[in-house]
């Protein structure tokens, strides 16, 4: 965090300390302390929400009660989940628990938020209780717009044609389909139009499946069916990997806008391109902010994403409701990534504490993104960018000359990639 925030935090900590002391002197320390605690609720314990919860607790200390509402009992990482599909990692390798957050005083509630009541300042839960908030952070990730793809409206079809684009049971199920595929078969992956979650992830997936095929089913093929006109991230690096590491195995087809799926025959149909029949059909449907953001009225852009004030990450619709991560309408050239969601979490945590304790907002936030993609089980490439808040444009803009891209894949970058995952999981959850 920048110097302004450090100075503001020192003032705030001093003030909070003075208040706590005054309450203690007034007697009945514990009840007075709990009365003085401010309440922040976080919905969604993924990359954005877990980070926000942890930093609200770390920076807010005893003055803030942070409640994290997460539907799943354990955190499963999307980053590295393509390696589970390739078979070099297991689902356990990318799963963590929420105990670390509890140790910081975060109250972790394993339940699904069903509604956010703006008037009563309450988040309602599926088991029936409600949690009151002064500020609420909403970082629920994405939900898929299955209704936009004919043939994927039924639950049965969606069990045969998997997305595996939220890490968890679908990752394991898709791995099983890939393992069961005959040698000489076709694995086809359909990519939606940008913007979508993690631009390089589908191309990394093509590499990981090809890596497995090279070892176990060398006559098989990976078809990349992209709704976009070209590879959306690390283009030259992925094209080189397909040419040099997996020659004749990976075929890339642009402008494949999916319209319909026949789940019985595993056939994909497109606006213009010819039909494709696969042995394993992996469709990443178009997606948008997850259901809770929609039901809370926070989706304001393109019927998909939530616009925010980038100074505080508050919804443009609802002050006091901060939306993070993949659910937001991104700033220019800002990727939808776990690293970015982690950065959103810290900016939002600092803004919420400033708002709660009457401190100046930091208008000079600088955040960054690094994204590693694994070409083989141990070799990776990366792309990085730096984004600064511009008070004139009221958004984040990329810092000229910042960031970078790998020259070529390497094992060293692979080691950095695994270290990146461990350190960001620690930064969110430890
Ligand atoms: C295959 C793949 C590979 C990727 N690789 C990378 C990578 O290498 N680097 C990178 O930076 N990013 C990567 N990403 C992107 C990254 O996973 C996302 O950008 C990131 O997870 C977004 O964080 P989030 O907090 O918005 O959502 P998530 O991390 O998805 O968290 C949302 C959480 O909210 C919970 N939730 C949703 N609704 C409710 C509700 N109503 N009540 C309670 N809980 C709820 C969910 O259970 C979930 O835990 C990858 C993504 C995929 C799919």
């Amino acid at each position: 965090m920048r110097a302004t925030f450090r100075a503001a935090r020192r003032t705030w900590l001093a003030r909070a300390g003075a208040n706590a002391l005054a309450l203690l002197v007034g007697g009945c320390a514990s009840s007075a302390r709990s009365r003085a605690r401010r309440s922040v609720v976080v919905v969604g314990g993924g990359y954005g929400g877990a980070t926000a919860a942890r930093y609200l607790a770390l920076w807010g200390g005893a003055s803030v009660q942070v409640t994290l509402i997460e539907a799943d009992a354990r955190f499963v990482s999307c980053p590295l989940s393509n390696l589970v599909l390739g078979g070099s990692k297991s689902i356990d390798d990318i799963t963590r628990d929420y105990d670390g957050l509890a140790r910081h005083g975060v109250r972790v509630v394993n339940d699904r938020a069903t509604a956010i009541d703006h008037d009563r300042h309450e988040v309602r839960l599926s088991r029936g209780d409600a949690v009151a908030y002064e500020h609420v952070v909403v970082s629920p990730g994405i939900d898929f717009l299955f209704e936009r793809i004919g043939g994927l409206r039924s639950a049965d079809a969606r069990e045969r044609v998997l997305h595996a684009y939220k890490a968890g049971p679908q990752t394991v199920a898709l791995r099983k389909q890939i393992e069961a595929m005959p040698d000489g078969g076709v694995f086809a992956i359909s990519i939606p139009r940008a913007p979508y979650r993690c631009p390089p992830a589908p191309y990394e997936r093509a590499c990981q499946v090809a890596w497995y095929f090279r070892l176990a089913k060398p006559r098989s093929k990976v078809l990349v069916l992209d709704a976009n006109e070209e590879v959306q991230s690390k283009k030259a690096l992925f094209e080189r990997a397909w040419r040099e590491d997996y020659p004749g195995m990976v075929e890339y087809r642009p402008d494949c806008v999916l319209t319909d799926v026949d789940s019985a025959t595993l056939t994909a149909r497109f606006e213009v391109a010819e039909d494709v029949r696969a042995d394993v059909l992996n469709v990443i449907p178009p997606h948008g902010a997850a259901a809770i953001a929609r039901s809370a009225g926070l989706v304001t852009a393109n019927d998909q994403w939530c616009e925010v004030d980038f100074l505080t990450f508050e919804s443009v619709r609802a002050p006091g409701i901060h939306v993070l991560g993949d659910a937001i309408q991104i700033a220019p050239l800002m990727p939808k990534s776990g690293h970015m969601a982690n950065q959103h979490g810290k900016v939002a945590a600092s803004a919420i504490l400033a708002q709660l304790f009457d401190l100046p907002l930091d208008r000079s936030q600088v955040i960054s993104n690094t994204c590693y993609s694994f070409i083989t089980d141990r070799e990776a490439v990366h792309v990085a960018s730096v984004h600064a808040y511009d008070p004139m444009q009221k958004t984040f803009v990329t810092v000229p000359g910042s960031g970078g891209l790998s020259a070529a894949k390497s094992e060293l970058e692979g080691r950095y990639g695994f270290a990146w995952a461990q350190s960001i999981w620690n930064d969110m959850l430890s």
Side-chain angles (χ1 to χ4, degrees), residues 44 46-48 70-71 78-79 81 113 139-141 165 197-198 325-326 337-339 372:
Y47 278 86
E70 167 53 52
C78 285
S81 67
S139 190
Y165 223 59
R197 158 175 276 190
C198 195
D326 288 355
S337 74
H339 195 134
Y372 291 91

Side-chain angles (χ1 to χ4, degrees), residues 72-96:
D72 293 335
R74 303 188 80 201
F75 166 80
V76 186
S77 173
C78 285
L80 299 191
S81 67
N82 284 330
L83 280 73
V84 177
L85 299 180
S88 63
K89 293 278 174 208
S90 73
I91 199 80
D92 288 344
D93 292 331
I94 60 167
T95 302
R96 294 287 179 276

Side-chain angles (χ1 to χ4, degrees), residues 36-242:
R37 291 185 98 183
R38 314 301 296 268
S39 165
V40 184
V41 174
V42 179
V43 176
Y47 278 86
T51 307
R54 183 168 180 270
Y55 278 84
L56 281 160
L58 277 175
W59 291 338
S63 304
V64 183
Q65 173 62 65
V66 184
T67 305
L68 173 66
I69 298 159
E70 167 53 52
D72 293 335
R74 303 188 80 201
F75 166 80
V76 186
S77 173
C78 285
L80 299 191
S81 67
N82 284 330
L83 280 73
V84 177
L85 299 180
S88 63
K89 293 278 174 208
S90 73
I91 199 80
D92 288 344
D93 292 331
I94 60 167
T95 302
R96 294 287 179 276
D97 60 38
Y98 286 104
D99 296 353
L101 289 179
R103 283 194 290 276
H104 290 293
V106 176
R107 191 165 74 95
V108 181
V109 178
N110 180 207
D111 200 354
R112 179 165 289 281
T114 52
I116 298 175
D117 187 326
H118 299 216
D119 297 329
R120 299 169 76 117
H121 278 226
E122 274 179 4
V123 177
R124 284 202 286 277
L125 307 183
S126 72
R127 284 196 286 264
D129 1 354
V131 188
Y133 66 82
E134 289 172 79
H135 285 255
V136 61
V137 174
V138 181
S139 190
I142 55 163
D143 274 333
F144 299 100
L145 304 169
F146 290 112
E147 66 280 5
R148 294 195 187 175
I149 308 288
L152 281 188
R153 291 184 189 117
S154 79
D156 278 358
R158 299 204 293 259
E159 271 178 27
R160 276 175 63 73
V161 178
L162 303 172
H163 54 77
Y165 223 59
K166 289 186 189 186
Q170 283 232 351
T171 314
V172 176
L174 184 58
R175 170 67 188 164
K176 285 194 181 133
Q177 287 187 354
I178 294 167
E179 280 182 294
M181 203 190 88
D183 188 10
V186 171
F187 170 88
I189 175 169
S190 159
I191 305 171
R193 276 206 177 103
Y196 59 86
R197 158 175 276 190
C198 195
Y203 314 111
E204 177 190 57
R205 179 170 293 183
C207 292
Q208 288 304 306
V209 175
W211 177 80
Y212 167 69
F213 285 169
R214 204 173 62 183
L215 287 179
K217 303 181 200 288
R219 295 189 299 112
S220 305
K221 197 160 174 176
V222 177
L223 263 185
V224 184
L225 306 165
D226 197 338
N228 300 289
E229 60 192 19
E230 60 177 357
V231 173
Q232 294 296 293
S233 178
K234 305 171 187 155
K235 181 172 187 258
L237 292 162
F238 282 121
E239 287 177 345
R240 181 170 169 190
W242 299 336

